[in-house]
Amino acid sequence: MLVQIISAVIVFVLVAYVLFVLGSFSFSKTIESVSPSVDVKVVEEKRGDGVEGSLEECCSRLAEDACLTEREREVFLLLAHGRNARYIQETLVVSYNTVDPRFARVRKAWSAFASGADRPC
């Protein structure tokens, strides 16, 4: 009998909580009220040689210097935007076996560029 009374009280408290405390809760309102903790700004950076440009323009210059093919440039730009192999595979509609060698070539070209080596082409 005592267990039934305790169970009934617990159910009553939960129902009261849901009705009175969470009654006005809305996921839509909660999501709308969320604001970013830090303002994120896309900044056009100026390199040491005075050349400015967007991420796409900088990637294009680097890809040209590294003699990347058109498809490798697409992979490089998606990598620059922080995409992973799975995303690139689905976006470019290619198999992983197609993406992986391009990753390797882009990484190799980037390493060569970062180390100050001559143009590979």
Side-chain angles (χ1 to χ4, degrees):
M1 176 80 176
L2 183 62
V3 173
Q4 292 174 340
I5 293 173
I6 293 174
S7 298
V9 170
I10 291 174
V11 169
F12 176 77
V13 169
L14 287 174
V15 169
Y17 176 77
V18 168
L19 289 176
F20 295 111
V21 176
L22 297 180
S24 63
F25 177 79
S26 166
F27 281 108
S28 311
K29 290 178 186 176
T30 303
I31 291 171
E32 289 172 2
S33 67
V34 172
S35 61
S37 60
V38 177
D39 289 333
V40 177
K41 297 179 183 176
V42 176
V43 179
E44 300 290 325
E45 292 191 25
K46 191 170 191 175
R47 298 186 336 192
D49 58 0
V51 177
E52 295 182 19
S54 66
L55 179 62
E56 287 78 10
E57 292 168 344
C58 290
C59 286
S60 178
R61 285 194 298 270
L62 289 172
E64 185 177 323
D65 288 345
C67 302
L68 298 179
T69 66
E70 190 60 36
R71 199 60 156 179
E72 290 167 342
R73 289 172 190 237
E74 292 173 357
V75 170
F76 180 53
L77 185 58
L78 289 170
L79 281 172
H81 281 283
R83 304 303 187 185
N84 62 14
R86 175 74 58 197
Y87 180 88
I88 293 171
Q89 173 185 342
E90 291 173 4
T91 301
L92 300 179
V93 191
V94 293
S95 73
Y96 180 78
N97 293 332
T98 302
V99 172
D100 192 49
R102 287 187 167 82
F103 261 23
R105 174 133 161 74
V106 167
R107 280 192 298 264
K108 182 179 176 184
W110 178 255
S111 297
F113 176 78
S115 68
D118 292 334
R119 288 179 57 163
C121 47

